[in-house]
Amino acid sequence: RSSQQGADGGDGSPSSAAAETPSSEDFSLSLLDTNLPAEAETELRSFIAKRLTKGALFEGMGNVASVGLSIPEYKVGCYYCRFQQENLLEMATPESDINAPEYVVCFLGGSEKEDTFRLELDKYIQSLKINLELEQKTLETYVNPYLRSWFENAICPIQRVVQLFQEKLAFLLHAALSYTPVEVKNADEKTEKDISRFLAAASLQGLVQEGTMTSLCIAMTEEQHKSMIIDCSGPQPQLHNAGSNRFCEDWMHAFVNGAEGGNPFLFQQILENFKLKAIQDINNLKRFIRQAEMNHYALFKCYMFLKNCGSGDILLKIVKVEHAEMPEARNVVTVLEEFMRE
């Protein structure tokens, strides 16, 4: 049982609760910071205590659940994550008797849509783990403001990028899909981070083979057209060495039209759909290429697919890298490249 622990909560706010032995009932929860009314905070604490008793919270892995709180008088979406202080974790050894306090941070929103951003919120908590110090001064100057700005910092970057780039977003989507290196100039730190985050979120990282990604990055860096440069010195970003295609332009319209509602969860969903469609197109092309190794009609189908999908330039680069070690498939890709050039 440890008495020096914490909890935070809020509607777009923090709520952190602590426990020492999550799998048993022998723990206490004490409030560290919250902007919830007292009654709702007690209900949230009760909800977290039940989860801790069941051993349902794993270190560093966030969960999202619907929680009934009396204020506001409806169910809210709650992201909650248990963690220990990073530096204390490193000092602890099996022989040592360090009873490092553990924390649960809760972020509350209007619905369970926080699940869409669970990975982003996990990263947000990771940064808190590294920087958390138990001194009161650090709590007031760093931890509390950090917790209170979770929605703006973890949920809204994609929305801000869409609003900043508008129609020029097509170039950013193209750079992300094709692994084109991007340099941002004359931007404040927040804008630079937002752009970097958008590029990472829109890329197919984790969805295509690791080797393919590395080879694509090398190929794009070595290509004659240099990095895409984004100059943020004016009210509208200016882009140099930028590329686009019909696929990215179509999806840009989906983002720009979604901007009218101003819902960050909608943008994340559009982004996921954008990547899903790109992956489907890659898989279709690979299937056609396998058929084309033995069938000339299938080769023509490959060509027509590349012409009509709107993203032939990028798809061809991806399959070229993936099939570099396969002689028959490589021959098919070479023929397709010649046809596309003509």
Side-chain angles (χ1 to χ4, degrees), residues 97-166:
D97 199 23
I98 294 177
N99 253 346
E102 297 187 62
Y103 301 86
V104 179
V105 172
C106 305
F107 296 132
L108 301 184
S111 70
E112 286 186 62
K113 288 178 181 171
E114 278 72 17
D115 198 38
T116 318
F117 286 92
R118 189 170 56 212
L119 294 177
E120 283 80 2
L121 290 170
D122 282 352
K123 284 179 199 162
Y124 200 65
I125 299 300
Q126 188 64 31
S127 181
L128 182 68
K129 271 173 74 168
I130 296 162
N131 295 295
L132 182 65
E133 302 270 343
L134 283 176
E135 299 138 22
Q136 193 58 37
K137 190 176 73 175
T138 315
L139 287 175
E140 288 169 4
T141 58
Y142 174 76
V143 176
N144 296 3
Y146 186 83
L147 289 170
R148 277 175 161 70
S149 57
W150 72 274
F151 192 81
E152 186 189 339
N153 290 342
I155 309 293
C156 295
I158 291 168
Q159 181 178 13
R160 287 197 293 268
V161 169
V162 173
Q163 288 166 344
L164 178 66
F165 280 81
Q166 297 292 319

Side-chain angles (χ1 to χ4, degrees), residues 7 29 123 144 161-162 186 205 216 218 221 256 272 302 306:
L29 290 174
K123 284 179 199 162
N144 296 3
V161 169
V162 173
N186 304 315
Q205 190 163 4
L216 266 174
I218 294 167
T221 308
V256 172
E272 293 304 322
C302 270
L306 281 170

Side-chain angles (χ1 to χ4, degrees), residues 70-256:
S70 54
I71 305 170
E73 292 169 359
Y74 58 86
K75 284 183 182 285
V76 295
C78 175
Y79 165 90
Y80 55 98
C81 182
R82 176 175 77 87
F83 71 96
Q84 271 181 287
Q85 216 173 311
E86 194 90 325
N87 52 1
L88 289 176
L89 274 178
E90 288 163 8
M91 291 190 304
T93 63
E95 298 79 35
S96 72
D97 199 23
I98 294 177
N99 253 346
E102 297 187 62
Y103 301 86
V104 179
V105 172
C106 305
F107 296 132
L108 301 184
S111 70
E112 286 186 62
K113 288 178 181 171
E114 278 72 17
D115 198 38
T116 318
F117 286 92
R118 189 170 56 212
L119 294 177
E120 283 80 2
L121 290 170
D122 282 352
K123 284 179 199 162
Y124 200 65
I125 299 300
Q126 188 64 31
S127 181
L128 182 68
K129 271 173 74 168
I130 296 162
N131 295 295
L132 182 65
E133 302 270 343
L134 283 176
E135 299 138 22
Q136 193 58 37
K137 190 176 73 175
T138 315
L139 287 175
E140 288 169 4
T141 58
Y142 174 76
V143 176
N144 296 3
Y146 186 83
L147 289 170
R148 277 175 161 70
S149 57
W150 72 274
F151 192 81
E152 186 189 339
N153 290 342
I155 309 293
C156 295
I158 291 168
Q159 181 178 13
R160 287 197 293 268
V161 169
V162 173
Q163 288 166 344
L164 178 66
F165 280 81
Q166 297 292 319
E167 279 76 15
K168 291 179 182 174
L169 194 73
F171 300 112
L172 216 53
L173 291 169
H174 189 270
L177 267 193
S178 61
Y179 300 92
T180 302
V182 174
E183 287 178 39
V184 182
K185 296 185 172 178
N186 304 315
D188 58 62
E189 188 185 357
K190 186 177 180 181
T191 304
E192 198 166 337
K193 273 187 182 171
D194 284 354
I195 294 170
S196 170
R197 162 99 177 265
F198 184 91
L199 288 166
S203 79
L204 301 180
Q205 190 163 4
L207 299 175
V208 296
Q209 296 165 12
E210 200 64 40
T212 301
M213 236 177 56
T214 309
S215 304
L216 266 174
C217 290
I218 294 167
M220 292 308 292
T221 308
E222 287 173 351
E223 273 198 12
Q224 285 168 1
H225 76 269
K226 303 167 196 134
S227 306
M228 181 171 103
I229 295 165
I230 301 171
D231 185 352
C232 295
S233 52
Q236 274 279 306
Q238 298 301 311
L239 280 62
H240 308 282
N241 304 325
S244 186
N245 58 30
R246 197 174 73 248
F247 180 80
C248 294
E249 280 159 18
D250 289 346
W251 280 95
M252 172 272 292
H253 289 299
F255 279 102
V256 172

